[in-house]
Amino acid sequence: MTQHPDHPEKPSLTLLGLGAMGSALARTWLAAGHPLTVWNRSPARAATIAAEGARAAGSAAEAVAANSLVITCLLDDESVGDALAGADLAGKDLVNLTTSTPAQARARGAWARERGAHYLDGGIMAVPPMTGVPEAGGYVFYSGSRELFERHRETLAVPVGTTYVGEDAGFAALHDVALLSAMYGMFAGAAHAFALIREEDIDPASLAPLLADWLVAMAPSVHQTADHLKSGDYTKGVVSNLGMQVAGTPTFLDTAEQQGVSPELLVPYFALMRRRLAESSAEESLTGVVDLLRRRPNR
């Protein structure tokens, strides 16, 4: 895959980090005709991308100096600090796609601004095979400088879609972790479901489509949760109320015991349900569990 010589007008950029995601991003920008300077801690990876049309810099500082738009896609927040320690960031547009916590993103944004850079943080909601494939539905959450986002929106949208979520530099990471947390909750539920049938004469492949369809059918419940949180009325439009659902939990625990399956993925949530019922109304939805989970965040 080589750079397109017939598109000299495409903005140039620098990319630091050529892991699986970084390499996928690099190849997509090259395919779209963007002049690209790359750097990676392991030079061999940079050499591979250079053979496909990029310019490999000898150091991170050299790569940063090559372009006004600098994108980092490194292992962690510490890696970003290490890579940019010797670079002149004055006047640079720094877009950080490295996975981090909201607090790390806010601190990194302040760190970048102290060095004269404009800062935008990103949370990637995609895996490498989704990069450069619009129909795959991947996108990146962006937060921080709105001006920076608008200035580079078209370039940033080349590999995957873009979704801007606010001036607070930590919001992209927060959205990223919020969605992925829900994903892991889904994975936990699916793991329990498969464990229940594991020792039975039931083909997991026959359960899979039923499970997938059921999860899709239940997914819109998040809209009711959001509405309840905004209105403060946790009883509005409730069909299966908290009291009824708590009353049904022994069936799930007894079934797990009978099937020889640990209930450890369900017990914490059921405990929160019972606690909420003890403190509130049986007519509520499950939304009150959100309030039980809240603790004042460290900002």
Side-chain angles (χ1 to χ4, degrees):
M1 190 181 296
T2 58
Q3 212 168 284
H4 289 272
D6 54 335
H7 296 298
E9 75 282 0
K10 294 293 181 71
S12 62
L13 65 151
T14 286
L15 175 63
L16 308 182
L18 296 170
M21 178 56 75
S23 294
L25 293 171
R27 290 187 171 101
T28 307
W29 275 310
L30 286 172
H34 289 267
L36 181 67
T37 298
V38 297
W39 173 85
N40 190 73
R41 192 175 301 278
S42 301
R45 290 187 177 180
T48 298
I49 299 300
E52 299 178 28
R55 172 180 172 266
S59 66
E62 179 187 334
V64 169
N67 295 291
S68 60
L69 175 58
V70 178
I71 297 176
T72 57
C73 188
L74 297 163
L75 177 63
D76 53 24
D77 180 69
E78 183 178 0
S79 300
V80 175
D82 290 345
L84 296 177
D88 181 4
L89 295 178
K92 299 296 181 179
D93 290 345
L94 178 60
V95 180
N96 184 18
L97 301 184
T98 303
T99 300
S100 64
T101 69
Q104 286 174 328
R106 293 178 182 118
R108 186 58 62 192
W111 177 91
R113 289 189 294 273
E114 288 171 359
R115 287 157 178 76
H118 307 286
Y119 185 81
L120 193 65
D121 201 78
I124 303 176
M125 303 305 299
V127 292
M130 299 170 71
T131 307
V133 185
E135 60 271 22
Y139 61 94
V140 176
F141 286 122
Y142 287 102
S143 62
S145 171
R146 180 77 192 229
E147 180 184 358
L148 191 161
F149 174 74
E150 294 297 343
R151 183 157 62 244
H152 298 293
R153 182 200 289 258
E154 290 186 10
T155 299
L156 296 175
V158 168
V160 289
T162 62
T163 300
Y164 183 78
V165 291
E167 292 278 349
D168 186 320
F171 277 7
L174 185 57
H175 279 73
D176 179 23
V177 173
L179 266 61
L180 292 177
S181 296
M183 177 193 75
Y184 280 115
M186 179 191 72
F187 287 167
H192 186 85
F194 280 116
L196 288 175
I197 69 158
R198 188 66 171 147
E199 300 303 322
E200 302 289 350
D201 187 19
I202 298 175
D203 185 352
S206 69
L207 182 69
L210 301 174
L211 186 56
D213 288 348
W214 180 248
L215 292 174
V216 168
M218 291 298 100
S221 67
V222 300
H223 298 295
Q224 184 183 67
T225 300
D227 180 60
H228 286 176
L229 291 171
K230 287 188 68 175
S231 69
D233 181 1
Y234 294 180
T235 65
K236 180 182 176 183
V238 174
V239 176
S240 300
N241 66 40
L242 178 62
M244 184 189 75
Q245 297 208 49
V246 168
T249 57
T251 298
F252 298 94
L253 299 176
D254 290 346
T255 300
E257 183 177 0
Q258 293 163 17
Q259 295 300 113
V261 171
S262 169
E264 62 193 286
L265 293 173
L266 300 182
V267 166
Y269 190 66
F270 286 171
L272 286 167
M273 290 167 59
R274 289 194 301 272
R275 182 176 150 202
R276 180 65 185 183
L277 179 61
E279 297 176 0
S280 59
S281 166
E283 301 307 313
E284 285 188 358
S285 66
L286 296 175
T287 302
V289 168
V290 175
D291 294 330
L292 295 181
L293 292 173
R294 291 180 62 217
R295 288 186 286 180
R296 187 170 184 81
N298 297 317
R299 295 290 293 274

